Amino acid sequence: MADSLDNTTDVPEQALDATTILVAGTASHAGKSTVAAGLCRRLADLGVDVAPFKAQNMSNEARAVVRPAAVRNVEPGASSAVPDPARDAEAPAFGEIGVSQYVQARAAGVRPTTDHNPVLLKPRGEGESQLVVDGVAVGHYAAGDYYAEHWEDARAAAEAAHARLAAAHDVVVAEGAGSIAEVNFHDRDLANVETARFADAAILLVADIERGGVFASILGTVELLPEDVRERVVGVAITKFRGDRSLLEPGIDEIEARTGVPVLAVLPYDDPGLPEEDSVSLPAVGERAVRGDDDGVPDAQSVTVAVPRLPRASNTADVDPLAAVPGVRVAFVPLDASLSDADGVVLTGTKNTADDLRAIREADLHQRLRAFEGPVVGLCGGYQLLGERLVAADVEGVADESTLRGIGLLPVETAFSQRKRVAPATWHVDGSGPLAGASGVVDGYEIHAGETRPVALARDEPVDAPREESTATPAAASIETPFSAADREPISLGAATGTVLGTYLHGLFENETARTAFVEAVFEHAGVSRPGASPSPATAGPDDPVEPPDPYARAAALVEQIPLDALCPDVER
């Protein structure tokens, strides 16, 4: 399997070499991401050189990955990427992609790069999104402005990225977005219609039966497609089915007769455990949802980590490793919820730190966090929120106010600028606070604007809260810096004091030393003995908690019944 970027440096002039499969949907959340990941792993297991692709994604769940040489130092007027001297002045080596394509690259066994998701839109509220092209943030735009002024450039970047992948691999598994049948959008549907055309793709149509009306959605979708795109549909996969498949046969026969498109598979309902693509999987603002409560551990022997549901939450998959620990419940809670039943708290990232800080203060969550005595961890935007101040917050879209008062649990402040740091990270941790006992190397990634620094005891800037609310203490007397890395100020990585810690390291809890330390701190605060390590499935008793199997293998097994000959008949396996 390919794991090199050497062959992705130029856009190939020859015809596309790879077979492209476009996994398109009749609607949003029909299971496209899971099916695409399953196909990537299944093909890779068969020895096929496969890579994922999504021309345009909309998600605040992002990962930092390598930018291929072809999109660095682009000269104005070059055809291989979107030229922008201001954007490319520093030729960043790393960029952002949506989490689904990161996961699919892992499933395929290839190194994730920005070619796998060349256009990313990160919603930030008020109908506006940050546009990320070839991994680098270009600016913030309303939808109308994006399609009027930037879509053509985005399309060029997507087509160039796909061409590089097609020249380097045997199969490209492309994921569509939403419904492929949005007729009001067919002239600018980059992830579906345009991808089908420039990639010469075979289309697998995915339809979700759980919501009802599956046959109507299949028929309507096929009939609404542009003729040239309709001809590319090679089959349908019905997803999320529970029950007796024979009951579907009359409907399947009717659909095949009306459309001429075969129903290739009826996939059972299953959740392989892959990270969610976007915040739609989160509870609505004001609602509560719990993860990890199906592990077989009695409630009396478990602990609850509260995750306040920020309106503009991002990278919430950071808490998934905690929910996978037996005995740990991760509860997404409304901002105005009590923390009385929480044993620990995690503040996730946010796409708009200033606006989410306002929401926290309006809900008085800052006061409840100050009174909370258990371990508290803030990740990325959560780190910024825990500090004393946000400086130059107008960069985040807050007009007429340059400084905002933070929650005040860490004696730090964050100064914003237009610069954004995107990079994988390997740091050393010498734990303190909620990570006491953690030691060694931790890996993850950074995606953030703003630099965090110790705050002085007194400052003169105006703030949006009374000065007497401040809990600031002299930074040198109280702050600890548990993370270190070469050529970096430790405070720019993270800080701790007492039971509170903040860090810019996304993926913190994927590291066993950090995860174990935090979980132990939560159990200790709760006064509950932590359940023993999970047995393997082979040795587990009927009441034992069991570690879940490999999610990539589960995804591959889920799509096993889809005949590959219908999707890529010319590929040797």
Side-chain angles (χ1 to χ4, degrees):
M1 288 181 282
D3 195 18
S4 171
L5 300 181
D6 293 342
N7 50 9
T8 63
T9 55
D10 297 299
V11 179
E13 296 180 357
Q14 68 273 22
L16 302 180
D17 296 323
T19 296
T20 296
I21 303 164
L22 174 60
V23 180
T26 59
S28 297
H29 303 284
K32 298 184 292 293
S33 297
T34 298
V35 170
L39 289 173
C40 283
R41 172 50 63 92
R42 188 176 163 201
L43 287 164
D45 285 346
L46 292 171
V48 177
D49 186 350
V50 58
F53 178 74
K54 187 164 185 174
Q56 177 180 299
N57 202 347
M58 176 173 279
S59 175
N60 277 329
E61 301 289 330
R63 296 291 185 272
V65 299
V66 169
R67 300 179 74 224
V71 296
R72 301 183 204 170
N73 290 317
V74 176
E75 294 294 333
S79 60
S80 60
V82 182
D84 185 336
R87 189 189 78 207
D88 294 315
E90 297 183 359
F94 303 101
E96 300 176 66
I97 64 171
V99 65
S100 290
Q101 283 59 66
Y102 178 88
V103 167
Q104 290 158 10
R106 297 285 297 272
V110 296
R111 187 181 190 183
T113 80
T114 55
D115 275 352
H116 296 137
N117 176 207
V119 181
L120 176 62
L121 296 170
K122 305 184 74 173
R124 63 190 306 271
E126 305 300 328
E128 186 178 270
S129 294
Q130 183 181 59
L131 171 61
V132 178
V133 178
D134 287 327
V136 177
V138 175
H140 296 99
Y141 305 104
D145 293 336
Y146 164 62
Y147 286 108
E149 301 173 15
H150 301 281
W151 185 81
E152 291 292 342
D153 286 342
R155 187 196 183 283
E159 184 172 6
H162 175 268
R164 289 189 290 271
L165 293 175
H169 302 277
D170 296 326
V171 175
V172 175
V173 177
E175 180 188 342
S179 168
I180 194 174
E182 302 293 348
V183 292
N184 58 311
F185 227 54
H186 277 170
D187 61 338
R188 49 187 174 174
D189 188 352
L190 183 51
N192 293 305
V193 173
E194 293 300 319
T195 294
R197 288 170 173 161
F198 67 61
D200 191 22
I203 299 174
L204 174 66
L205 187 63
V206 176
D208 175 5
I209 197 171
E210 188 179 37
R211 301 184 182 187
V214 69
F215 296 120
S217 66
I218 294 170
L219 179 61
T221 296
V222 173
E223 290 189 349
L224 289 173
L225 292 177
E227 183 176 353
D228 65 310
V229 176
R230 186 185 311 128
E231 292 172 351
R232 300 177 183 277
V233 181
V234 298
V236 175
I238 296 175
T239 61
K240 306 181 187 178
F241 181 67
R242 313 171 197 245
D244 183 352
R245 188 187 188 282
S246 66
L247 298 177
L248 298 181
E249 294 301 335
I252 290 175
D253 292 343
E254 180 75 10
I255 284 296
E256 292 181 338
R258 282 177 175 253
T259 65
V261 176
V263 175
L264 299 176
V266 177
L267 307 182
Y269 185 94
D270 186 31
D271 179 5
L274 301 172
E276 296 289 349
E277 180 177 16
D278 54 40
S279 61
V280 175
S281 63
L282 296 178
V285 174
E287 296 182 359
R288 177 186 173 97
V290 180
R291 298 178 184 174
D293 56 353
D294 56 353
D295 56 7
V297 177
D299 288 344
Q301 300 174 28
S302 68
V303 294
T304 297
V305 176
V307 181
R309 201 320 193 171
L310 301 174
R312 299 157 190 85
S314 67
N315 292 79
T316 58
D318 279 341
V319 300
D320 287 352
L322 296 176
V325 176
V328 177
R329 282 58 170 133
V330 172
F332 286 88
V333 299
L335 294 187
D336 59 359
S338 168
L339 298 178
S340 60
D341 61 348
D343 305 300
V345 175
V346 175
L347 289 179
T348 66
T350 164
K351 190 62 190 71
N352 192 317
T353 310
D355 282 351
D356 275 350
L357 177 56
R358 283 182 166 281
I360 284 171
R361 297 186 69 86
E362 289 171 2
D364 282 332
L365 176 59
H366 61 302
Q367 301 285 20
R368 292 191 297 280
L369 284 170
R370 289 174 180 175
F372 185 71
E373 297 180 351
V376 177
V377 169
L379 301 172
C380 195
Y383 178 26
Q384 297 170 345
L385 290 167
L386 289 173
E388 284 289 321
R389 301 177 178 84
L390 304 180
V391 181
D394 57 302
V395 172
E396 290 287 283
V398 181
D400 301 325
E401 293 191 72
S402 62
T403 301
L404 299 176
R405 175 75 69 194
I407 293 172
L409 287 178
L410 289 174
V412 299
E413 65 181 15
T414 300
F416 288 97
S417 69
Q418 296 292 349
R419 181 172 179 172
K420 191 173 188 180
R421 182 175 182 85
V422 179
T426 299
W427 303 345
H428 189 273
V429 61
D430 185 7
S432 57
L435 296 188
S439 180
V441 173
V442 287
D443 295 311
Y445 59 96
E446 294 179 79
I447 301 178
H448 66 91
E451 293 293 331
T452 299
R453 61 202 182 198
V455 66
L457 178 59
R459 297 179 63 90
D460 296 329
E461 294 94 343
V463 295
D464 68 340
R467 174 76 56 184
E468 58 268 22
E469 284 190 12
S470 175
T471 60
T473 56
S478 64
I479 200 165
E480 297 179 87
T481 52
F483 301 98
S484 59
D487 303 321
R488 298 285 299 278
E489 288 292 331
I491 196 73
S492 70
L493 311 181
T497 179
T499 60
V500 181
L501 178 140
T503 179
Y504 279 117
L505 188 68
H506 287 294
L508 174 70
F509 296 127
E510 293 179 16
N511 296 275
E512 183 176 1
T513 184
R515 181 176 64 251
T516 299
F518 179 69
V519 168
E520 293 286 357
V522 174
F523 273 99
E524 182 178 355
H525 171 70
V528 176
S529 297
R530 183 182 172 190
S534 297
S536 68
T539 61
D543 299 323
D544 287 331
V546 176
E547 290 289 348
D550 174 24
Y552 303 122
R554 288 182 64 183
L558 181 64
V559 302
E560 184 67 33
Q561 63 175 284
I562 299 175
L564 296 178
D565 286 344
L567 305 180
C568 46
D570 299 327
V571 176
E572 295 184 6
R573 295 182 289 278

